[in-house]
Amino acid sequence: QAAPRPRACHGWQVPMKSGSLSYVLPCNRLPVQLMSQVRVYTSNGQKKDLGSEDTNGSARGETLQKAETGQDTTNAGQKQSSPKQPIQVKVKAVLKKREYGPKYTQNNFITGVRAINEFCLKSSDLDQLRKIKRRSPHDDTETFTVYLRSDVEAKSLEVWGSPEALARERKRRKEAEIKYRENLFRNQRLLWEYKEFFGNTKPRSSTAAMFFKGPGKVVMVAICINGLNFFFKLLAWVYTGSASMFSEAIHSLADTCNQALLALGISQSARTPDPSHPYGFTNMRYIASLISGVGIFMMGAGLSWYHGIIGLLHPHPVESLLWAYCILAGSLVSEGATLLVAINEIRRSARAKGLSFYQYVVQSRDPSTNVVLLEDAAAVLSVAVAATCMGLTSVTGNPYYDSVGSLGVGTLLGTVSAFLIYTNTEALLGRSIEPEQLQRLTELLESDPVVRAIHDVKATDMGMSKVRFKAEVDFDGRVVTRSYLEKQDIEQLLQEIQQVKTLEELEAFMLKHGENIIDTLGAEVDRLEKDLKQRNPDVRHVDLEIL
């Protein structure tokens, strides 16, 4: 590669490679001084020389000079080369990468409950282990105690003797748990025998209190009134044989059954969250309202249409309608009273949320009250339709008007059921909150100095004024680090920096303060989540993911 050429040399000519270094040698007119050495540092401070290039570089330089002698003779008249310019290669110390493998749990923390359950230990066994205080993920506590997983594993092997013995104990406990679940019914009977004891010690349930205020009160009033209306309308239909009266009786029966279903949904929504349902059971109200809408369509609208069509195909004379008018008048008063109760409740709730009456109903903020409102509104209108058609039948003697009234009541109930099905389905699918509210949450995050930008924002209405907020947050690392430094003794920190002389000391220094900075970042995330919940009571669950 260094063969002489009949032309002048300008620039780099000869590529060379030594060890892990690649470089290009100039021609003989540029004398070269190569001084490079590659060292690989491990985390233990050991270093390895991959080879010195001083002697090799000199030898190769001499070889080149000998190979270029002929070229120097033929080009004696050319201009002398430039002065010697030694080339130096900088050395970069690199910390050797540590391989952790596909599974590494030596530095993991676990709680005492997990240590007892997963490693079959007792609480007395944990007293002998190192206790570490960490930031609590719960709002009600600031710190909680955890244990190093490696210590727990070592203690479990000390207690049980071998991994095989520990596996057998886990298997035995698993079988005992399965057996307990199989005998759950028998255990519940035993608990029922001691109900007096548990009744004195357990806190009183608040489920019954839900039916004395708010939506529960509206539903209970509607159940009582619609039950009585069904009974009296049924008697009027038996006495008169009117198709419109039959539709009204079926309507009241459907309302009573649906509102009983709403009461069940309200009681189930008050259940506390469990491991299978970590976000609770608030959607039970929407499920009950959805089933109620389907029930209105099938029982109310379907039977009314059926009876009206039968009346058109096979008309028969209607008896005296005096009692029917009296019962319809009583039904109008009772249904109107229930409707007023539902309207007042919705107005109060809408005012508390800062919404209009229409927005509160359309957004289905309270599905139970919405069902009562729409059912009673449909009941009042259907009473007016039924009374009008029965009056036309009694005046003209034509029974077709009565059958048309039954079809009108069925159509009205079908419209109400379709609206209920649509609104409750939208709520169960998880719709987004209002754009104005989402903008307020976004501005609150972006106005914080620790946040650079937020992306992929999602805010879902979980039902019953509960919002789940999720966002990807780009944090400003400089602000987080400054927040950490403000809590440190700067003079002591400076002394620690000045004492760093070796690679091991540098690694220990960086690991110590790096972990503390990560904890500071976690504290900033907790602070932001707490601010969002305090300034927006509807936000119950906040998930901020770090970019």
Side-chain angles (χ1 to χ4, degrees):
Q1 295 177 356
R5 297 184 182 182
R7 59 183 178 85
C9 177
H10 301 282
W12 303 88
Q13 294 283 330
V14 186
M16 301 295 291
K17 184 173 183 181
S18 174
S20 61
L21 287 179
S22 297
Y23 47 84
V24 180
L25 292 179
C27 67
N28 63 328
R29 296 182 180 82
L30 297 177
V32 180
Q33 180 182 359
L34 293 178
M35 300 178 62
S36 62
Q37 189 174 12
V38 177
R39 298 175 182 176
V40 177
Y41 290 84
T42 65
S43 60
N44 297 327
Q46 299 177 355
K47 58 184 179 181
K48 299 179 181 179
D49 294 341
L50 296 182
S52 176
E53 303 299 331
D54 297 337
T55 58
N56 296 335
S58 301
R60 289 176 181 170
E62 294 175 358
T63 304
L64 284 172
Q65 290 177 2
K66 293 179 181 178
E68 295 288 338
T69 303
Q71 184 177 355
D72 292 339
T73 304
T74 56
N75 299 327
Q78 295 182 358
K79 187 178 179 180
Q80 296 291 333
S81 61
S82 60
K84 296 182 180 180
Q85 297 179 357
I87 299 176
Q88 296 183 354
V89 180
K90 294 184 180 180
V91 178
K92 181 179 180 181
V94 181
L95 185 66
K96 185 178 180 181
K97 183 178 180 180
R98 180 177 296 179
E99 298 294 339
Y100 293 100
K103 182 178 181 181
Y104 184 80
T105 59
Q106 295 302 315
N107 294 334
N108 288 11
F109 294 139
I110 62 174
T111 61
V113 176
R114 283 191 60 190
I116 293 174
N117 293 336
E118 296 183 11
F119 294 92
C120 305
L121 297 176
K122 299 179 181 178
S123 58
S124 58
D125 298 331
L126 301 180
D127 295 338
Q128 307 171 11
L129 302 181
R130 290 180 292 176
K131 298 180 177 62
I132 303 173
K133 294 291 185 180
R134 301 294 294 176
R135 261 184 328 106
S136 174
H138 308 290
D139 296 335
D140 53 350
T141 55
E142 294 183 357
T143 60
F144 73 129
T145 303
V146 294
Y147 301 88
L148 200 61
R149 184 185 181 94
S150 57
D151 294 346
V152 175
E153 291 177 349
K155 186 64 178 179
S156 64
L157 293 179
E158 177 185 344
V159 171
W160 296 103
S162 64
E164 292 77 12
L166 177 60
R168 287 194 298 269
E169 178 64 19
R170 287 175 175 173
K171 183 178 179 181
R172 187 190 66 80
R173 295 192 179 189
K174 187 66 176 179
E175 292 175 351
E177 181 182 357
I178 294 174
K179 184 177 180 181
Y180 172 78
R181 291 180 179 179
E182 292 175 351
N183 298 330
L184 184 61
F185 179 73
R186 182 176 61 85
N187 295 332
Q188 289 178 347
R189 291 186 60 185
L190 292 176
L191 292 176
W192 180 258
E193 294 178 0
Y194 293 99
K195 63 179 181 179
E196 294 183 358
F197 171 77
F198 286 102
N200 294 330
T201 56
K202 290 177 62 177
R204 295 182 61 184
S205 174
S206 60
T207 304
M210 298 178 61
F211 295 102
F212 293 97
K213 61 180 180 179
K217 177 182 178 181
V218 176
V219 171
M220 293 305 297
V221 170
I223 289 176
C224 296
I225 292 179
N226 285 322
L228 292 175
N229 288 339
F230 165 70
F231 177 75
F232 288 111
K233 288 178 181 178
L234 184 64
L235 292 180
W237 171 70
V238 172
Y239 179 74
T240 61
S242 171
S244 297
M245 186 56 64
F246 174 80
S247 298
E248 281 298 307
I250 294 299
H251 181 189
S252 297
L253 176 62
D255 289 349
T256 304
C257 296
N258 292 329
Q259 286 151 8
L261 185 62
L262 294 178
L264 178 62
I266 291 175
S267 64
Q268 292 296 314
S269 65
R271 294 169 57 187
T272 56
D274 56 24
S276 300
H277 305 83
Y279 291 105
F281 298 85
T282 53
N283 282 341
M284 281 300 300
R285 294 195 181 188
Y286 292 96
I287 295 174
S289 300
L290 178 62
I291 299 174
S292 176
V294 176
I296 292 173
F297 183 80
M298 295 181 63
M299 292 183 61
L303 289 178
S304 297
W305 284 332
Y306 171 79
H307 206 73
I309 293 173
I310 292 298
L312 292 176
L313 297 178
H314 307 284
H316 61 276
V318 180
E319 303 294 334
S320 176
L321 299 177
L322 177 61
W323 286 104
Y325 290 139
C326 295
I327 292 174
L328 285 178
S331 176
L332 181 64
V333 174
S334 60
E335 297 284 2
T338 309
L339 180 62
L340 290 178
V341 172
I343 290 175
N344 291 332
E345 177 62 25
I346 290 180
R347 282 180 176 174
R348 184 185 63 81
S349 301
R351 193 181 306 112
K353 298 295 181 181
L355 300 174
S356 65
F357 185 90
Y358 175 77
Q359 289 176 335
Y360 193 88
V361 173
V362 172
Q363 295 177 11
S364 189
R365 292 301 184 102
D366 187 355
S368 302
T369 308
N370 275 4
V371 172
V372 175
L373 171 71
L374 296 175
E375 286 183 347
D376 289 338
V380 171
L381 292 177
S382 63
V383 166
V385 171
T388 302
C389 293
M390 290 170 59
L392 292 175
T393 299
S394 62
V395 171
T396 62
N398 188 354
Y400 285 107
Y401 291 109
D402 188 54
S403 299
V404 171
S406 181
L407 293 176
V409 172
T411 303
L412 186 60
L413 293 179
T415 304
V416 171
S417 65
F419 179 79
L420 291 176
I421 292 173
Y422 171 76
T423 54
N424 288 285
T425 301
E426 286 290 314
L428 289 173
L429 287 176
R431 60 194 171 191
S432 179
I433 62 176
E434 292 297 318
E436 294 79 8
Q437 186 180 4
L438 183 60
Q439 182 67 23
R440 289 197 301 269
L441 296 175
T442 303
E443 291 176 353
L444 178 60
L445 280 179
E446 290 180 337
S447 62
D448 196 279
V450 79
V451 176
R452 281 178 173 171
I454 59 174
H455 310 278
D456 193 22
V457 180
K458 295 183 177 67
T460 306
D461 188 353
M462 300 176 60
M464 299 306 300
S465 300
K466 293 184 179 180
V467 176
R468 180 179 180 181
F469 182 83
K470 177 262 178 187
E472 302 275 352
V473 183
D474 185 5
F475 286 91
D476 192 339
R478 296 170 299 179
V479 177
V480 175
T481 305
R482 188 176 293 109
S483 175
Y484 168 71
L485 293 177
E486 290 173 355
K487 303 175 184 177
Q488 305 300 316
D489 187 349
I490 300 299
E491 294 183 357
Q492 181 181 357
L493 187 62
L494 183 60
Q495 293 177 1
E496 291 181 9
I497 297 175
Q498 294 174 349
Q499 293 174 359
V500 174
K501 303 299 183 182
T502 63
L503 182 63
E504 296 89 341
E505 294 176 352
L506 176 62
E507 181 182 5
F509 177 83
M510 295 299 296
L511 291 178
K512 171 187 174 183
H513 292 283
E515 183 177 7
N516 293 338
I517 291 175
I518 293 300
D519 290 340
T520 303
L521 177 59
E524 293 293 335
V525 172
D526 292 342
R527 178 182 62 81
L528 291 175
E529 292 179 351
K530 187 176 181 180
D531 289 345
L532 284 175
K533 293 179 181 178
Q534 287 181 347
R535 299 188 184 186
N536 300 271
D538 291 346
V539 179
R540 303 294 180 87
H541 307 282
V542 181
D543 300 322
L544 298 182
E545 300 181 5
I546 302 173
L547 282 178

